[in-house]
Amino acid sequence: MMNDGIATNAGRAYVYFGGVALNSVADVVLNGVSANDFFGHSVSTAGDVNGDGYSDVIAGAPFNDAAGNESGRAYLFLGGALMNNTADITITGAAAGDNLGHSVSTAGDINGDGYSDILTGAYGNDETGSSAGRAYVHMGGMDPDNITDAIFSGAAANDNFGISVSSAGDFNGDGFSDIILGAVNNDAGGSDAGRAYLYLNSLTGTDIEDEIYTGATLDYLGYSVSSVGDVNGDGYDDMIIAAIGNNSDRGIAYIHYGGTVPDNTPDLILTGIAAGDQFGWSVSGAGDVNGDGYDDVIVGAPYNDAGGSNAGRGILVLRRSCYEQCCGCCVYRAPLPMTDSEAQYQMQAM
């Protein structure tokens, strides 16, 4: 995001095409527009937004000044047999300080029309209070545009709602994709406790959250959120919500299993190894890494000191059938490759 190829801190993002002979050479290079855009601060698949059979990508530039100082922008690049680095859709923050594009994500297919939809977060938006924050849904279609189709707003000033946005997969199994949004500085559970909000197919009716997840004082819950696929093999998509400030910034991440009647009780808790690790800074589904039929999870801890001061670590969570009888799961630390003997963290089943 601080690449200077176009201008100082304009930023860059790189696309690497998969294949039998995958290599480390970028196939497409996407560039920020102006100095200090910090393009590439967030990147994500966008799914197939225009239904042409190719996956698309979205990238954020939260400090772009097009609509005012640090209003922010997000750029959609449509895939194709000859993908290029020209943005096909540009989404611009509503006002100065919005920082739109700090978080971007596919939303899955929210309205069931066969096209993937996208999410953008603008945590600094002031519409419902200073830095209350907002998140936006843009529906896919044969001819996608930058017109907002749904708006979600923070509950109170300084919530920074929309600092994290993600699809939750089909969390309740109704055939429609759901979304999860973070409000890292919400004070409902104490100062900067943080909250995350789950919306179940919210765009076919109301935009009121269906479930709320609340942290404790200085937890910063909701800093990162993500769908993780189906980690327990029950046919429902699951999700992860992180609280990077928990336990003296050790950090913690909560996995919630999907189901027909979701609740806000975590089903699995993953914890950082040491104070200051900020475990959960980034979280994501990892797909089925070890081919056992269960989806896996990856969690970042950027300030872990195992490799040197603030060297950071990535934690890969694998569901292993050989461990199911004792604890259900194993957690492994990077670097890869890893063996069964490298299990480092215990996970607490709820």
Side-chain angles (χ1 to χ4, degrees):
M1 68 178 179
M2 298 172 71
N3 180 279
D4 299 333
I6 296 296
T8 302
N9 295 334
R12 270 186 169 168
Y14 302 86
V15 177
Y16 298 84
F17 295 152
V20 176
L22 178 67
N23 60 44
S24 60
V25 178
D27 294 283
V28 182
V29 178
L30 313 175
N31 292 299
V33 173
S34 348
N36 300 313
D37 272 10
F38 290 87
F39 175 88
H41 183 279
S42 58
V43 295
S44 176
T45 178
D48 185 4
V49 175
N50 62 336
D52 64 353
Y54 295 94
S55 293
D56 310 313
V57 298
I58 185 167
F63 296 102
N64 179 279
D65 298 331
N69 186 48
E70 297 183 3
S71 52
R73 270 187 161 172
Y75 300 87
L76 177 68
F77 299 85
L78 299 177
L82 298 173
M83 182 184 177
N84 60 47
N85 65 355
T86 302
D88 295 279
I89 302 291
T90 301
I91 301 166
T92 304
D98 272 14
N99 296 119
L100 183 137
H102 179 274
S103 54
V104 297
S105 178
T106 180
D109 183 8
I110 291 177
N111 59 342
D113 63 355
Y115 298 94
S116 293
D117 310 313
I118 56 175
L119 282 165
T120 59
Y123 71 87
N125 181 276
D126 298 331
E127 191 64 30
T128 56
S130 178
S131 296
R134 272 192 158 172
Y136 303 91
V137 173
H138 296 263
M139 299 293 199
M142 189 177 298
D143 244 344
D145 56 45
N146 62 0
I147 298 170
T148 302
D149 293 287
I151 299 174
F152 302 86
S153 298
N158 300 313
D159 271 11
N160 288 320
F161 176 86
I163 198 163
S164 58
V165 299
S166 179
S167 168
D170 183 6
F171 197 73
N172 61 338
D174 65 356
F176 296 93
S177 293
D178 309 312
I179 60 175
I180 179 82
L181 309 174
V184 69
N185 297 110
N186 178 279
D187 296 330
S191 179
D192 291 331
R195 268 188 161 175
Y197 300 85
L198 175 68
Y199 300 83
L200 300 175
N201 190 25
S202 50
L203 302 190
T204 63
T206 177
D207 61 356
I208 297 172
E209 63 277 353
D210 294 279
E211 196 61 73
I212 299 174
Y213 307 84
T214 305
T217 298
L218 297 179
D219 266 8
Y220 301 103
L221 183 137
Y223 185 83
S224 58
V225 297
S226 182
S227 171
V228 292
D230 183 7
V231 298
N232 62 337
D234 65 353
Y236 295 94
D237 287 324
D238 310 313
M239 64 182 185
I240 187 169
I241 302 168
I244 60 171
N246 181 272
N247 194 8
S248 301
D249 290 342
R250 181 184 300 265
I252 198 165
Y254 303 97
I255 292 180
H256 295 265
Y257 296 156
T260 53
V261 184
D263 58 48
N264 60 9
T265 302
D267 295 284
L268 205 60
I269 298 177
L270 318 177
T271 58
I273 195 170
D277 277 7
Q278 294 198 10
F279 176 87
W281 183 277
S282 55
V283 295
S284 181
D288 183 6
V289 173
N290 59 339
D292 64 354
Y294 297 94
D295 286 323
D296 308 313
V297 181
I298 189 162
V299 182
Y303 298 106
N304 178 278
D305 296 332
S309 179
N310 294 336
R313 267 191 166 168
I315 318 304
L316 180 65
V317 182
L318 302 177
R319 173 76 183 234
R320 294 264 187 163
S321 57
C322 62
Y323 277 77
E324 284 177 2
Q325 292 182 349
C326 63
C327 65
C329 305
C330 296
V331 184
Y332 295 87
R333 289 198 281 201
L336 300 175
M338 298 172 291
T339 65
D340 288 348
S341 64
E342 291 179 290
Q344 299 289 338
Y345 293 93
Q346 291 296 316
M347 294 196 298
Q348 178 182 349
M350 300 295 290

